[in-house]
Amino acid sequence: MHPDYEMVIGLEVHAQVNTKSKLFSGSSTEFGAEPNTQANCIDLGMPGMLPVLNQAAVSAGIKLGLAIGATVSPVSVFARKNYYYPDLPKGYQISQYEKPIVENGMVSIDLDDGTTKEIRVERMHLEEDAGKSVHDIGLESHSHVDLNRAGIPLMEIVSRPDLRTPEEAGAYMKKLRAILRFIDVCDGNMEQGSLRCDANVSVRKKGVETLGTRCEIKNLNSIRNVMRAIQYEADRQIDVLEDGGKIQQQTRLWDNDKAETRAMRSKEDAHDYRYFPDPDLLPLRVSGARITEIRETMPELPDQMKERFIEAYGLSVYDASVLTISRQNAEYFEAALSLKNGKPERDPKLLTNWMTVELFAALNKAGKDIMDSPVSPEQLSELVSLIEEGEISGKIAKQVFAEMLETSKDPSNIVEEKGLKQISDTGALEEIIQKVMDDNEDSVEKYRNGNERIFGFFVGQVMKATQGQANPGVVNELLKKALAG
Amino acid sequence: MSELVKLGLKEAAEKVKAREVSSVELTQACLDRVQARNGDINAFVTVCSDKALEMAEASDQRVKEGKSRLIEGVPLGIKDLFCTEGVLTTASSHILDGFVPAYESTVTANLWKAGGVLLGKLNHDQFGMGTANENTHYGPVRNPWAMDYTPGGSSGGSVAAVADYQCMATTSTDTGGSSRQPAFMTGTVGIKPTYGRCSRWGVISYASSLDSPSVNARTVEDAALMLRAMAGFDPKDSTSADIEMDAFDEDLADLDVKGLKIGLPTEYIEVEGLDPRIKQTVLSTAKRFEEAGAEIIDVKFPLIEYAVPCYYIIAPAEAASNLARYDGMRYGLRVEGENLVDTYKKTRSAGFKLETKRRIMIGNYVLSSGYYDAYYLKAQKVRALIARDFQNALDKVDVILAPTAPTPPFKVGALTDPVQLYLQDIFTIPNSLAGLPAVAVPSGTVEEGGTTLPVGIQFIGKLFKEKDLLKVAYAHEQMTQFKPLELKG
């Protein structure tokens, strides 16, 4: 990145609302059904069919509005966006346009340096999805259309151009996804297309106030690609400018294989969508009572939970952020803490390390979600308890944990079966220490002559003789006493 | 020809229920009449002989079992904008060739639940766009009063079928006057109920914010009964009104004309181009009511000249969008082209008639970026002002008396200038823009070159007060003793 420039980024995120039925019809929204089995006469745009708004999708919109501290509009309007395409059966998409349901929100993002930044959300509106065109099956001369997706409710969440780096954009996506999942309105699955993103990118010389000409990048289906595409696009724009060129306002497509963006259409080719309020639907009115009712049932949000974790469990900002990135992580953590009257039975810091280092690494490697973890929170809690009680050492614990991942057995059973219990019995240890000293008379001599650095050697020998099961604290104490003569 | 076809809806239903006549006999009489007359009148696009007799038999069975319903066993004609399950539904267009819906419109479903029999589907100006029933793929409908005359539009088939005794009542739709102007042209009754009174679900859309499923019949009482069978709240239509229904056809004579306040809008009867004979019809109606003790009150509609332009922005805008779904991809006509865009062009060029295309183009124009504010948005503001004028007027009076159309019936092909045709709706559009109910009733005849032709007036009522409105129309009917067309052929 050229040091004289900075990026200005705004994201338009499309989140599929996880309602059971579509935004304006009773068809199922379940993912993965046979093509066109979840499209009824309304979705097919049959003559005389009329839309009826799904109130569950409206409630989801209100929830998001409350979660990002936005204004929920008492009156919003669904408009028709008119254009022709075979996967758009009515010839128009019903979408909120001039009067969205949610305006002026804020998402606070966590940056790697431990600081946070506030990103303004301009608006969120509800709209229906289009169907899917398929060009690569059957006859080459024919295309196919699957209308299962047509009419599925989407929330389009539009940020202000407050993001300055690809990393900030990534953090914004992660936080937004966490919020959507916490309030249970979207599953956040980018691979299945439940969460999609378009990025508006421009560059400008540092210190310049005015915005540069922007390009919109489409087809970003993972957070990683959002970040890569933004970086690529910013570099491309800087190259153009440095060569004395001008940026054309364009829509560009991200090509994942070639890792580049390419022009799709220019501003001149932009459609005239001839928006107007949909006369089949009355303006959407949301009462204050309804907002209050939803507010009262709002779950704890990621930022609130993060604050609580820092406060109640003494965690670092970083650890608290990692644990609250998803409700499942947080719930797992709190279950493993074994709260009694609100007080954790386990050491939060020790447990956090085990979760974020060992467990997450193992899950990552296996490509599993915390929901499918072979180790239950109760089992991880027990493992940490065994360490805390001095029953096993940290090193043995890793061995036990590996076995737990394999077999999903309780750690105490594994310790029992494999005889991994830590030796704290001073009599037994004194015997072993004596034997180690007898076998290494030279070293004893050196130590007693003042070379205390070889103390670790004796510890190692004792641990080796006990296959690591000796309690290191007890060993240290006994060794010191024995070596002192 | 069987005299049974002369029975009105109420009378026929009563006879079927009393087992004086069977539904099968009644239905067969209507089918015979349609068979004999449709070649000339062209009211029906589709005649459902088998289905009609099947439904009639089921009706007779119900009567036997003592399970009679409101309009038991009476054959009805359905404007071909209403989707009927398993029965070809064309919107009188080429573009819906072969379209057989898998669903039944709420209004027709209500009629069948009330015991009605589906006789067939009626011709009209395609998608409800027209005033002379010439904008149809199935050829113009003829006026039973004089075969070289148009029955009006868009619901030409709906009025011709009842005027010509081919069935007892029909459904129509009224967006800017499509049930009332044709009623006027054929000496029949047309009720456009309040917007939202009858469900639009399953009715092929023209202009969603105006479309009102409507009624045509030979008498006020029959039309009122038909409306009662059709109307009702429908959760499947977001613009349907959840407002209690009256038994529209009962106690119609229960009106004290003395003290009735009738609004007479000066601006309506002073409109340029209003035929003096029509003006006279309105004034003599007012006089009759005045003599019976009603109070005639002058009401103001300063914006009447803007109503037609306002309508011809809003309706085409909605139509352009509503008709976008006819793209040849999923049902109806498809003319293959070189590529996708070419297929769209060829299909839609072949599938719509000229007037339909004109409205699609007007609609797309007024919604275009740069023109939206000047046309569509401004028209919406005018619409709100017109609605306000009506509210002010109706605060002072019980009903408003107005002309239905500006001239007596005209010949097929006589009006070729679209603007001339648009002005046919000058008196029916204003209250449509306000969502208000109106009923067109005949009041007499005029002579045109030796031909006797009907003329009439309309009453405009308050929102969801159809019952009050129909009582006034009934009183008018009693006063005029209008003689309908005699059964001929």
Side-chain angles (χ1 to χ4, degrees):
Chain A
M1 178 85 183
H2 195 293
D4 296 349
Y5 285 88
E6 73 169 354
M7 303 181 197
V8 177
I9 306 155
L11 297 183
E12 285 175 23
V13 175
H14 287 89
Q16 185 178 314
V17 188
N18 61 2
T19 49
K20 288 197 168 59
S21 57
K22 293 185 177 178
L23 188 52
F24 298 110
S25 88
S27 297
S28 168
T29 55
E30 203 157 317
F31 180 79
E34 284 291 301
N36 296 312
T37 56
Q38 291 176 175
N40 66 16
C41 290
I42 296 171
D43 310 319
L44 290 169
M46 288 288 185
M49 291 296 93
L50 298 173
V52 176
L53 181 59
N54 180 347
Q55 288 298 333
V58 174
S59 294
I62 297 171
K63 267 186 173 179
L64 180 69
L66 294 175
I68 60 173
T71 308
V72 177
S73 311
V75 181
S76 56
V77 174
F78 283 95
R80 292 183 181 180
K81 179 181 180 178
N82 296 285
Y83 66 95
Y84 285 92
Y85 205 67
D87 63 19
L88 190 72
K90 297 189 295 295
Y92 57 85
Q93 178 197 25
I94 306 177
S95 170
Q96 294 191 314
Y97 179 59
E98 276 186 340
K99 292 183 178 159
I101 183 167
V102 165
E103 284 178 289
N104 299 324
M106 190 83 84
V107 170
S108 156
I109 59 170
D110 304 304
L111 301 173
D112 282 345
D113 63 4
T115 60
T116 59
K117 182 177 173 182
E118 308 259 85
I119 307 300
R120 291 171 298 164
V121 173
E122 186 181 321
R123 57 184 276 160
M124 185 284 284
H125 68 248
L126 292 168
E127 64 182 29
E128 58 175 349
D129 208 345
K132 197 170 75 181
S133 294
V134 184
H135 306 291
D136 53 2
I137 55 166
L139 288 174
E140 207 173 295
S141 57
H142 286 61
S143 291
H144 298 75
V145 175
D146 177 6
L147 294 174
N148 284 354
R149 214 176 64 184
I152 285 185
L154 299 177
M155 297 195 268
E156 182 172 322
I157 306 155
V158 183
S159 86
R160 294 255 177 201
D162 288 351
L163 301 158
R164 290 291 173 270
T165 65
E167 291 71 33
E168 288 184 10
Y172 173 80
M173 286 296 291
K174 279 183 197 157
K175 181 50 84 60
L176 199 54
R177 184 171 63 181
I179 293 170
L180 292 166
R181 285 174 169 170
F182 265 65
I183 60 175
D184 193 23
V185 298
C186 170
D187 68 23
N189 188 328
M190 291 192 81
E191 290 72 43
Q192 290 179 4
S194 312
L195 198 62
R196 307 196 286 266
C197 176
D198 300 337
N200 283 297
V201 179
S202 65
V203 296
R204 65 183 173 194
K205 283 256 172 74
K206 281 178 185 163
V208 172
E209 291 274 313
T210 52
L211 294 169
T213 304
R214 69 190 153 85
C215 288
E216 184 183 6
I217 316 169
K218 291 199 173 282
N219 194 33
L220 303 172
N221 58 4
S222 72
I223 292 176
R224 186 168 160 264
N225 285 339
V226 171
M227 296 167 68
R228 286 169 76 201
I230 290 169
Q231 187 64 57
Y232 174 90
E233 178 60 19
D235 289 338
R236 184 191 72 83
Q237 291 183 14
I238 292 166
D239 284 349
V240 170
L241 292 172
E242 285 295 299
D243 287 347
K246 269 182 125 179
I247 304 299
Q248 305 292 323
Q249 188 172 334
Q250 280 175 335
T251 302
R252 298 178 68 86
L253 199 70
W254 169 249
D255 184 328
N256 204 25
D257 297 330
K258 292 188 180 146
E260 62 178 32
T261 65
R262 61 167 180 271
M264 215 169 110
R265 57 172 181 261
S266 72
K267 195 188 172 190
E268 287 74 43
D269 314 326
H271 293 289
D272 181 353
Y273 290 117
R274 305 183 307 278
Y275 283 99
F276 74 109
D278 191 331
D280 285 334
L281 293 160
L282 301 172
L284 168 58
R285 290 176 199 283
V286 177
S287 70
R290 182 172 183 184
I291 296 172
T292 305
E293 195 180 308
I294 290 175
R295 195 191 300 278
E296 279 165 5
T297 59
M298 283 289 280
E300 193 176 25
L301 296 167
D303 284 341
Q304 294 167 340
M305 200 177 250
K306 187 177 85 180
E307 288 307 315
R308 184 166 64 79
F309 279 18
I310 294 168
E311 192 112 323
Y313 307 136
L315 296 182
S316 70
V317 174
Y318 177 82
D319 283 345
S321 303
V322 172
L323 289 173
T324 54
I325 202 76
S326 82
R327 170 178 297 286
Q328 287 77 16
N329 282 357
E331 280 174 355
Y332 189 103
F333 175 73
E334 290 209 289
L337 272 180
S338 308
L339 297 173
K340 258 207 182 134
N341 303 323
K343 293 264 182 287
E345 299 245 286
R346 301 288 94 81
D347 174 15
K349 183 67 202 164
L350 185 59
L351 178 65
T352 303
N353 284 344
W354 273 92
M355 252 188 89
T356 58
V357 181
E358 303 297 333
L359 181 63
F360 285 0
L363 292 175
N364 239 341
K365 205 169 150 194
K368 281 182 178 166
D369 193 81
I370 192 131
M371 305 288 282
D372 322 311
S373 168
V375 176
S376 71
E378 293 72 26
Q379 289 173 326
L380 188 67
S381 180
E382 192 186 330
L383 183 72
V384 171
S385 160
L386 290 172
I387 302 166
E388 283 175 348
E389 300 292 320
E391 298 278 313
I392 54 172
S393 67
K395 200 171 164 193
I396 291 291
K398 286 190 185 177
Q399 203 179 317
V400 174
F401 184 70
E403 182 80 14
M404 289 163 73
L405 287 170
E406 281 290 308
T407 62
S408 292
K409 281 185 185 168
D410 287 349
S412 54
N413 289 345
I414 297 169
V415 169
E416 190 79 20
E417 275 171 31
K418 305 225 159 173
L420 295 173
K421 201 164 178 182
Q422 192 157 263
I423 304 166
S424 305
D425 174 345
T426 48
L429 285 176
E430 271 165 358
E431 249 174 60
I432 292 163
I433 287 169
Q434 195 53 56
K435 186 162 183 307
V436 167
M437 285 171 65
D438 290 348
D439 292 348
N440 299 284
E441 278 179 2
D442 292 0
S443 301
V444 174
E445 195 64 29
K446 278 183 198 157
Y447 180 87
R448 286 181 173 160
N449 285 334
N451 186 0
E452 290 188 3
R453 278 185 306 174
I454 61 168
F455 182 75
F457 164 77
F458 293 106
V459 176
Q461 290 300 308
V462 175
M463 294 311 272
K464 196 173 159 190
T466 58
Q467 284 152 357
Q469 282 167 261
N471 182 325
V474 179
V475 170
N476 275 357
E477 203 179 304
L478 293 175
L479 251 178
K480 268 185 190 154
K481 219 189 276 174
L483 284 169
Chain B
M1 191 53 61
S2 167
E3 290 285 310
L4 284 177
V5 296
K6 286 176 79 175
L7 294 174
L9 173 63
K10 190 152 196 162
E11 217 180 345
E14 275 163 8
K15 284 193 188 299
V16 170
K17 287 189 234 182
R19 299 180 71 172
E20 285 171 37
V21 62
S22 73
S23 174
V24 169
E25 286 171 88
L26 203 57
T27 303
Q28 192 58 58
C30 288
L31 284 170
D32 291 345
R33 176 77 183 158
V34 173
Q35 171 80 25
R37 300 285 292 171
N38 204 42
D40 294 334
I41 304 285
N42 199 27
F44 284 85
V45 168
T46 305
V47 181
C48 306
S49 310
D50 294 347
K51 192 176 172 86
L53 289 170
E54 223 171 82
M55 289 174 84
E57 277 168 29
S59 175
D60 287 333
Q61 189 59 36
R62 282 196 297 272
V63 175
K64 267 186 213 158
E65 291 166 6
K67 294 175 185 164
S68 295
R69 302 168 182 184
L70 187 65
I71 51 168
E72 194 60 67
V74 184
L76 305 169
I78 302 298
K79 189 177 184 180
D80 213 12
L81 281 175
F82 291 79
C83 289
T84 39
E85 190 179 347
V87 176
L88 181 72
T89 300
T90 67
S92 290
S93 74
H94 187 27
I95 203 142
L96 276 173
D97 273 4
F99 174 63
V100 178
Y103 43 89
E104 186 77 34
S105 82
T106 300
V107 162
T108 48
N110 288 347
L111 289 173
W112 316 145
K113 267 183 253 162
V117 168
L118 169 62
L119 194 66
K121 304 297 289 291
L122 296 160
N123 201 348
H124 57 275
D125 283 298
Q126 62 180 231
F127 296 98
M129 300 176 180
T131 37
N133 220 306
E134 291 165 22
N135 184 33
T136 158
H137 182 60
Y138 296 93
V141 179
R142 300 288 167 161
N143 192 329
W145 286 73
M147 297 299 275
D148 49 347
Y149 279 71
T150 161
S154 70
S155 309
S158 301
V159 290
V162 289
D164 197 48
Y165 300 96
Q166 295 180 31
C167 58
M168 281 76 194
T170 55
T171 66
S172 53
T173 60
D174 190 316
T175 304
S178 279
S179 75
R180 287 167 285 159
Q181 183 256 17
F184 165 91
M185 306 277 264
T186 52
T188 55
V189 175
I191 307 174
K192 177 215 125 44
T194 310
Y195 178 79
R197 179 63 99 179
C198 291
S199 169
R200 294 187 296 115
W201 195 88
V203 183
I204 295 174
S205 298
Y206 159 25
S208 308
S209 73
L210 295 154
D211 290 346
S212 305
S214 298
V215 177
N216 288 108
R218 288 188 291 267
T219 65
V220 172
E221 191 180 37
D222 283 354
L225 176 59
M226 181 75 167
L227 178 63
R228 180 179 169 189
M230 286 163 60
F233 172 61
D234 181 7
K236 291 190 289 188
D237 173 1
S238 307
T239 60
S240 170
D242 192 2
I243 286 178
E244 216 181 312
M245 283 247 297
D246 297 304
F248 298 122
D249 58 310
E250 286 173 10
D251 316 316
L252 284 174
D254 177 20
L255 172 76
D256 195 354
V257 175
K258 212 168 172 192
L260 182 73
K261 289 178 179 162
I262 297 176
L264 187 62
T266 329
E267 286 89 353
Y268 274 58
I269 51 174
E270 297 304 333
V271 149
E272 200 192 312
L274 175 64
D275 188 288
R277 291 167 293 179
I278 304 296
K279 184 176 175 179
Q280 193 47 52
T281 305
V282 175
L283 293 176
S284 46
T285 302
K287 195 150 190 282
R288 270 195 296 274
F289 271 94
E290 200 168 24
E291 282 164 6
E295 197 183 336
I296 306 297
I297 297 167
D298 184 32
V299 286
K300 296 278 172 235
F301 286 98
L303 296 171
I304 181 149
E305 60 177 308
Y306 298 107
V308 171
C310 172
Y311 173 88
Y312 276 99
I313 289 169
I314 292 170
E318 294 180 9
S321 178
N322 282 334
L323 269 57
R325 66 187 60 196
Y326 308 113
D327 59 2
M329 292 296 127
R330 294 167 308 284
Y331 46 77
L333 180 74
R334 173 165 176 164
V335 183
E336 291 288 350
E338 296 292 313
N339 52 41
L340 178 65
V341 172
D342 196 36
T343 300
Y344 283 153
K345 279 187 184 165
K346 288 197 161 86
T347 302
R348 289 170 65 82
S349 296
F352 295 129
K353 290 199 69 121
L354 180 64
E355 181 55 30
T356 314
K357 288 177 193 167
R358 181 167 15 242
R359 294 191 194 191
I360 291 172
M361 290 180 74
I362 293 171
N364 282 325
Y365 178 79
V366 299
L367 288 176
S368 301
S369 126
Y371 297 98
Y372 180 87
D373 289 2
Y375 292 104
Y376 185 79
L377 210 57
K378 189 160 276 178
Q380 289 292 8
K381 288 176 184 165
V382 172
R383 183 179 186 174
L385 291 175
I386 289 172
R388 195 194 58 186
D389 284 350
F390 270 106
Q391 202 186 332
N392 289 341
L394 288 165
D395 280 347
K396 288 188 283 187
V397 299
D398 300 308
V399 288
I400 293 164
L401 167 65
T404 311
T407 61
F410 52 93
K411 287 184 176 171
V412 173
L415 296 185
T416 47
D417 175 14
V419 176
Q420 253 184 311
L421 283 161
Y422 295 170
L423 286 170
Q424 272 290 307
D425 289 338
I426 186 165
F427 301 117
T428 47
I429 280 173
N431 69 285
S432 290
L433 289 170
L436 295 166
V439 52
V441 265
S443 38
T445 55
V446 294
E447 297 293 321
E448 287 253 286
T451 308
T452 304
L453 296 163
V455 290
I457 50 92
Q458 65 169 335
F459 294 104
I460 299 162
K462 300 180 181 182
L463 282 176
F464 298 104
K465 299 289 183 195
E466 287 90 348
K467 184 73 180 272
D468 297 343
L469 176 65
L470 290 168
K471 282 181 179 175
V472 177
Y474 183 81
H476 168 84
E477 196 176 47
Q478 299 306 307
M479 287 178 202
T480 52
Q481 290 297 316
F482 172 79
K483 272 185 67 182
L485 188 64
E486 287 191 8
L487 178 64
K488 49 184 176 183

